Amino acid sequence: MNRELSTEEIDQLHRFCRQHYVTHYDVRVELVDHLASSIEALWIKNSALSLESALQQVYHTYGATGFRKLMREEEQAVEKAFHKGLGRAFTAMFAWPNIVLAGALSLVCVFFGSFYEKGQTFVPAIFILFFCAFGVLLDIGVSVLLHREKKQLREPLLATNTYRGFFLIFLLEYTMCYRLTGYLFEPDSLTDGAFSRAAFLLYSGICIVCVLMSLAKYRFAQSMFEKARKTYPLAFR
Amino acid sequence: MNITDLYKGSLEAIVLQLIRQQGEMYGYELTQKAREISGGHLKITEGTLYPLLHKLEAEGTLSSELKPYGNRMRKYYRLTKAGVQEQEKASVSLQEYIGHLQQFLNPKLA
C-alpha cells in the first residue's frame, strides 16, 4: 500500500508554507495538497525517505526564490480578477431598475437645475452635499461590511484581501468630486458664466456614476465574501 | 528553441481541454496529465498553473469545490456552462492556429 501523509504531517506542511510566507489559506490549501501529492509520488519510488528529505527535494524544484514567485503571480492574478469583477459589478448596475432610478435622479437634477441662476451657489452646494453624503454613507457601509466579515475569518484569504483596491476607487471618486467642487466654487467661473447649466448637468452625471460605483463596491464586497465562505468554509469561524 | 516556450500561449486552451475530458481535476493532477500527454515536454509550474486556474475561476469559466482527500483538503475544478463554450472557442482557435502553422511549415500544401 502506498504511503500517505498523516494529519500531523499535513499540519507540518501547513507550518512549512506559513514559514515560507504563504500565509493566505486559499493559496496554502492548494499548495499543501500539491506538495503532499509530490511527496507521495516520491514515496512510491522510495518509501523509506523521511518527510523532511522528501519536502526538501520537492521545495528545491521551486528554485532559489521558493514560493515567492507563486505568491507574486497569485497576488497579481487576484488583483486583476478583483478589478475585472468590480468592473462587471459596475456594468451590472446599469440594469433596468437602476436605469429607472438614475433617470429619476436626473429628473431631480433637471428640477434643481431649473432654479439655478448664474452666480448662485446654494443650488450646487445642496447638490454636492446630497451626493457626497450619499456616497460617503455607502462607503462607510462597505467598510463596516468588510470589517465585520474580516472578523469572521479564522485564517486570512488572498481572495478577500482587497482593501487597497477599494481604497483606490474611493480616492478616484472623491478626487473627481473634489476637483469639480473646487471648479464650482471658483468665483471667476461663476461670475464669468463659465459654469453653465450644461456643466451643472455634467456634474450631476458624474455624481450619479460615483454613487453607482459605491453601490457596485457594496454589492461586490458582499458577493466576494459569500463566494469565499462557500469555497473555504474552514477559513471562517 | 525550448518546446515549453511554444506551449505557453496555448496553456489556457490545454487546461480547459484537460478539465473537459476528465470532468473535474485538481492542480497536481493537471500538471501530471499535461506532462504525460506531452511526453514530458509540457512542464506546468505551480507559479503558472494556480494563478491561471484562479483567473479562470474569477471569470466564471471554472467553478471549484474543496473536498476532503485523505487527511487534507483538495480543490477540484470543473467547467461551468460558460466554460464549456469558452473551451469550444479555445479549441477551434487552437486548431486554426495549428493549421496556420502547418501552412508555414509546409507551404506546398497551402
Side-chain angles (χ1 to χ4, degrees), chain B residues 8-109:
Chain B
K8 270 182 189 167
S10 321
L11 197 60
E12 190 174 314
I14 292 170
V15 165
L16 292 178
Q17 180 74 31
L18 285 173
I19 296 176
R20 183 159 192 187
Q21 281 168 359
Q22 302 293 316
E24 63 173 17
M25 289 184 94
Y26 57 95
Y28 181 79
E29 190 183 16
L30 271 164
T31 60
Q32 296 308 301
K33 199 79 187 165
R35 191 175 291 199
E36 184 193 315
I37 293 172
S38 67
H41 288 297
L42 179 55
K43 289 170 189 158
I44 313 177
T45 63
E46 294 81 331
T48 308
L49 179 68
Y50 291 109
L52 173 66
L53 290 172
H54 297 162
K55 183 196 91 145
L56 291 170
E57 193 185 357
E59 285 172 0
T61 308
L62 296 178
S63 64
S64 70
E65 195 181 352
L66 211 58
K67 294 180 195 173
Y69 173 82
N71 298 309
R72 58 185 185 263
M73 299 304 283
R74 178 166 277 176
K75 196 174 174 185
Y76 290 89
Y77 294 90
R78 59 173 62 210
L79 293 180
T80 59
K81 268 188 192 170
V84 172
Q85 289 175 344
E86 199 60 44
Q87 186 276 324
E88 281 163 2
K89 268 193 240 166
S91 179
V92 169
S93 303
L94 199 59
Q95 275 166 355
E96 274 177 21
Y97 169 70
I98 294 165
H100 294 156
L101 268 187
Q102 275 174 341
Q103 285 179 351
F104 276 112
L105 295 170
N106 300 307
K108 281 178 192 168
L109 291 175

Side-chain angles (χ1 to χ4, degrees), chain A residues 4-72:
Chain A
E4 281 184 6
L5 280 106
S6 65
T7 310
E8 290 73 28
E9 287 169 329
I10 292 293
D11 289 344
Q12 203 175 321
L13 290 188
H14 275 282
R15 277 198 299 278
F16 181 82
C17 290
R18 275 197 210 98
Q19 282 162 3
H20 290 81
Y21 311 105
V22 186
T23 50
H24 296 102
Y25 179 78
D26 44 352
V27 183
R28 207 175 63 235
V29 75
E30 276 190 291
L31 184 59
V32 164
D33 180 46
H34 200 102
L35 292 173
S37 301
S38 305
I39 290 167
E40 284 168 355
L42 284 176
W43 280 346
I44 291 172
K45 292 176 196 159
N46 179 10
S47 61
L49 199 67
S50 71
L51 174 68
E52 288 73 21
S53 307
L55 180 56
Q56 281 312 315
Q57 272 190 43
V58 172
Y59 185 62
H60 188 68
T61 61
Y62 287 80
T65 55
F67 299 141
R68 274 188 217 146
K69 186 178 175 256
L70 169 73
M71 278 310 293
R72 203 172 49 240

